[in-house]
Amino acid sequence: MPDDDNHCSRDCRSPDVEAREAAARYETVSAEHVNDWLIDLLPHDKACILDVGSGSGRDAAWLASLGHEVIAVEPNPAMRRECERLHPHNTFRLLTDRLPDLSTTFRTGLSFDFILVNAVWMFVAPSHRERAFRKLVTLLKPGGKIAITLRRGPVDVDRGMHPASTEEIERLARRHGAYLEPTQHAADFLGRRQISWTRIIVRVPDDGTGALPLIRRIVLNDDKSSTYKLALLRTICRVAHSAPGFAREVGDFVEVPLGIVALFWLRLYMPLLRANVPQNPNNTTGFEKLGFAKAALAKLNDVSPLDLRAGGLVGSDRQRAMHESLRDACVTIQRMPAAHLTYDDNRSHGDDRIFPVERSAVRMPNVLRLDGDYLWSFGRLSVPVHLWRAMQRYAVWIEPALIEEWVRLSLRYVERQNRSIDEGSLRTTMQWIEPIREVDHVRRRAVDMLDDKQKLFCIWTGKTLYRNSLDIDHCFPWSAWPCGDLWNLMPSSRSVNQHQKRDLLPNEETLRKAKDRVVDWWGAGYCAKRGLGERFRLEASARLPAIGSASDLEDVFVAVGLQRLRLSNDQQIPEWGGPD
């Protein structure tokens, strides 16, 4: 924004008064006029755009009016209230966030085609700017752009401002593999003679983080005496894809529960062990010569990999075996791949592990549920932010590459052991087993509610449902994103689900219009039922990004909206514009 009074108050007036006056000043200048320099720089097609320090929401609303999906972030609560008052139709999503961390934005898992940082950079302390710039680059798609406007003129230290220069931005860009386009200069649109603005475009031709070259080096070139390094990388990819709700950002790392890493590790390995696929030169049969494959894991030989999921309740007859198997996997992960996956930069001192692990001694609970508290109790594994983001964005490339190298290693071990194995069967065994598409349990719940004389409504049309018109819809289509979590299963009219929506992703407006019906269904259908309510909260916490509280259905709905945008943005799933 071409002003900055929202960031700091000049006097003792209330924050709401200050915000209202600042917002009024912003809105006196049209977004089209302020941002005319961006017209030829913005993506021509529908894109995902981040507006950092959105103030009154003027620029975010304008970007949304051009057909883009816009996330606006603003730290000032009074200004957010003004934004919602001035732009009540929710054409963009407003989050509470700030530089240098942008932690809430990061947890959404979204990547952006364009990032606008308008009249904000001078409020970032110089000591925080490298981190702030790295975070912006990390959030950007390859080939994306960052538009930054720098204030020129007197620096008001009392208002939290710091000097800023084009030269500093250029240095930061070079460090992160980015470059600047020729800059522009503009007068202040509010007529302040002592103030002018420098307009900068930063381009990132690749992800600019070094993540992909590092992953390629590990996959293709790193020495491997077993499949453990590949397994750890693939496990982290799977956590980033299937359980991002467990991640939390701490400094330059994303921390995840060591227990979820161990759980997914076992889920990858168990089908291979049952098929006697060797995982090192000496692993000739099943559980032999593998540090984590001990007696406890052998007792789980009949457990389906689908049972190894976050939130699952472990039967009393298997609790000790499950607990000990997870503990053994944690020990192996810490001592082997996590210890030996290091940066290849000839460091002469310090810890050069890529994935530091802190393991904790943990006692088996009386009732073993694979929930967040239990999985965190094993300790934590840290993933560098740029690697985590790369694994979320480029899993479509990374995981197949990992599988190919894993197949190659296993076939080499088979050959050394003078054995034979069908390569096609091996590749099938390597695949991550997705849950079965099954909605009968939710249908039974809906029918029980109808039998109890409770009314059910189609979430898309609002029409009353009866037994002969009831269908259960995957809000996010199974064909594009297999997810049988309760929050994704909703009552729908059979005609709408089977003939109109089908395998399409609801667009933002359609989902927004259905909000009240969706939240009401979650409350009555799941949260009012003891066992289903707990499962609903566990699944939402594990799967959805940037969730505030899984007990707050409004927070869950916000997270669903962000996940919808992520699927639309990353996978380009065809969208559905609502019932006819």
Side-chain angles (χ1 to χ4, degrees):
M1 310 288 300
D3 201 348
D4 34 66
D5 291 333
N6 60 315
H7 292 274
C8 192
S9 176
R10 288 177 182 267
D11 52 39
C12 296
R13 289 173 294 173
S14 73
D16 285 337
V17 171
E18 285 289 324
R20 180 156 294 199
E21 292 178 355
R25 286 194 294 275
Y26 295 158
E27 300 289 332
T28 61
V29 184
S30 71
E32 293 88 346
H33 188 38
V34 172
N35 298 306
D36 61 351
W37 69 291
L38 298 177
I39 294 298
D40 293 332
L41 297 166
L42 288 167
H44 297 297
D45 299 324
K46 181 179 179 181
C48 190
I49 296 179
L50 176 66
D51 182 10
V52 178
S54 59
S56 69
R58 183 198 62 194
D59 293 346
W62 172 69
L63 290 165
S65 74
L66 299 177
H68 300 299
E69 298 272 16
V70 180
I71 299 293
V73 301
E74 171 57 43
N76 187 321
M79 188 56 73
R80 288 196 305 276
R81 288 192 288 272
E82 282 302 298
C83 178
E84 291 167 348
R85 182 181 69 83
L86 292 166
H87 304 282
H89 300 299
N90 296 322
T91 56
F92 56 88
R93 293 191 176 274
L94 181 63
L95 300 181
T96 303
D97 216 350
R98 68 172 69 235
L99 286 170
D101 294 314
L102 292 178
S103 54
T104 301
T105 308
F106 177 83
R107 289 198 301 274
T108 67
L110 288 168
S111 303
F112 298 92
D113 300 282
F114 195 94
I115 299 177
L116 181 61
V117 187
N118 218 346
V120 171
W121 194 254
M122 57 277 199
F123 292 101
V124 180
S127 61
H128 293 160
R129 284 179 178 170
E130 181 156 359
R131 174 168 173 73
F133 194 90
R134 181 169 63 250
K135 187 56 65 72
L136 292 171
V137 168
T138 301
L139 288 167
L140 200 65
K141 290 181 179 179
K145 307 182 193 77
I146 306 172
I148 303 175
T149 59
L150 299 182
R151 170 175 156 143
R152 299 289 195 181
V155 174
D156 193 339
V157 177
D158 292 337
R159 299 179 59 215
M161 292 171 56
H162 307 274
S165 69
T166 304
E167 292 75 17
E168 177 194 40
I169 299 295
E170 190 170 16
R171 285 195 301 271
L172 290 170
R174 284 198 303 268
R175 291 176 193 169
H176 293 82
Y179 62 91
L180 267 59
E181 295 193 340
T183 58
Q184 302 179 23
H185 299 281
D188 182 63
F189 286 99
L190 293 177
R192 296 170 295 185
R193 293 183 179 179
Q194 74 277 24
I195 296 173
S196 63
W197 298 87
T198 299
R199 299 161 164 177
I200 298 172
I201 290 293
V202 179
R203 285 186 183 265
V204 181
D206 199 341
D207 64 359
T209 67
L212 291 179
L214 178 59
I215 293 172
R216 291 189 191 103
R217 190 260 291 172
I218 295 170
V219 174
L220 302 176
N221 303 320
D222 217 35
D223 291 335
K224 305 177 189 72
S225 58
S226 73
T227 60
Y228 284 176
K229 289 181 181 179
L230 299 172
L232 183 56
L233 278 180
R234 192 176 174 203
T235 296
I236 295 170
C237 270
R238 275 287 144 190
V239 174
H241 176 76
S242 302
F246 282 112
R248 60 192 187 195
E249 188 179 355
V250 180
D252 292 334
F253 288 89
V254 171
E255 292 184 347
V256 294
L258 187 55
I260 194 73
V261 178
L263 187 68
F264 282 21
W265 172 281
L266 295 179
R267 185 167 171 175
L268 286 174
Y269 268 116
M270 286 180 72
L272 297 171
L273 302 187
R274 291 169 182 167
N276 289 325
V277 177
Q279 303 305 308
N280 64 47
N282 300 314
N283 173 226
T284 55
T285 57
F287 295 75
E288 183 185 19
K289 303 293 184 180
L290 293 173
F292 67 93
K294 298 184 177 180
L297 188 61
K299 294 177 181 177
L300 299 178
N301 204 34
D302 60 341
V303 171
S304 166
L306 291 172
D307 292 329
L308 303 177
R309 60 178 179 83
L313 183 66
V314 181
S316 58
D317 57 331
R318 293 192 173 112
Q319 287 187 2
R320 181 159 298 281
M322 180 65 73
H323 179 77
E324 292 179 359
S325 295
L326 290 171
R327 180 199 60 199
D328 293 340
C330 289
V331 171
T332 294
I333 290 167
Q334 181 189 38
R335 292 179 179 175
M336 298 299 290
H340 296 291
L341 280 170
T342 57
Y343 292 98
D344 187 21
D345 58 2
N346 299 314
R347 295 186 185 184
S348 59
H349 62 278
D351 188 351
D352 66 348
R353 292 175 299 166
I354 299 172
F355 305 111
V357 170
E358 294 181 20
R359 186 166 55 86
S360 304
V362 57
R363 292 184 178 180
M364 186 181 74
N366 293 328
V367 177
L368 201 163
R369 181 179 289 279
L370 302 171
D371 58 13
D373 289 343
Y374 176 68
L375 296 171
W376 276 108
S377 69
F378 286 92
R380 67 202 65 203
L381 180 141
S382 298
V383 183
V385 165
H386 68 301
L387 281 181
W388 178 264
R389 294 291 297 176
M391 287 177 175
Q392 287 188 313
R393 287 183 192 166
Y394 306 114
V396 68
W397 171 83
I398 294 171
E399 189 164 22
L402 289 167
I403 292 173
E404 285 300 313
E405 180 66 6
W406 200 331
V407 168
R408 189 188 69 81
L409 279 180
S410 293
L411 290 175
R412 191 174 74 185
Y413 300 150
V414 167
E415 184 179 1
R416 287 183 183 180
Q417 297 169 8
N418 295 316
R419 297 167 52 200
S420 63
I421 191 169
D422 179 70
E423 186 173 337
S425 298
L426 173 58
R427 291 182 181 279
T428 300
T429 307
M430 286 281 182
Q431 297 304 310
W432 180 264
I433 300 176
E434 295 287 0
I436 298 171
R437 181 171 184 166
E438 195 273 312
V439 299
D440 286 349
H441 59 300
V442 175
R443 184 186 301 278
R444 287 194 296 272
R445 173 59 180 153
V447 169
D448 287 345
M449 293 173 67
L450 291 174
D451 290 345
D452 289 341
K453 308 302 182 184
Q454 297 184 56
K455 281 197 170 184
L456 279 184
F457 302 95
C458 171
I459 62 160
W460 304 122
T461 66
K463 293 181 179 179
T464 302
L465 294 174
Y466 304 95
R467 276 187 179 233
N468 62 355
S469 62
L470 170 67
D471 220 350
I472 302 299
D473 177 33
H474 288 80
C475 178
F476 301 154
W478 179 274
S479 60
W481 196 62
C483 175
D485 291 353
L486 293 180
W487 57 265
N488 195 40
L489 298 175
M490 304 176 181
S492 168
S493 160
R494 187 169 298 166
S495 61
V496 170
N497 187 36
Q498 296 186 12
H499 300 290
Q500 296 183 41
K501 179 174 179 288
R502 304 188 59 147
D503 292 333
L504 302 176
L505 183 72
N507 64 20
E508 194 278 335
E509 182 182 6
T510 300
L511 185 61
R512 176 170 52 82
K513 288 179 177 178
K515 175 185 176 182
D516 290 343
R517 293 187 291 272
V518 170
V519 171
D520 287 347
W521 162 248
W522 286 342
Y526 302 138
C527 296
K529 192 80 170 174
R530 180 177 299 175
L532 289 178
E534 184 177 9
R535 176 180 165 185
F536 173 88
R537 288 186 289 272
L538 285 167
E539 291 175 344
S541 296
R543 178 80 74 155
L544 292 172
I547 196 167
S549 166
S551 297
D552 187 328
L553 299 183
E554 296 280 338
D555 283 354
V556 176
F557 188 83
V558 170
V560 167
L562 292 169
Q563 181 64 24
R564 189 214 69 81
L565 179 54
R566 180 177 170 190
L567 292 174
S568 175
N569 187 38
D570 291 350
Q571 297 189 26
Q572 302 296 306
I573 303 172
E575 294 189 358
W576 175 62
D580 297 337

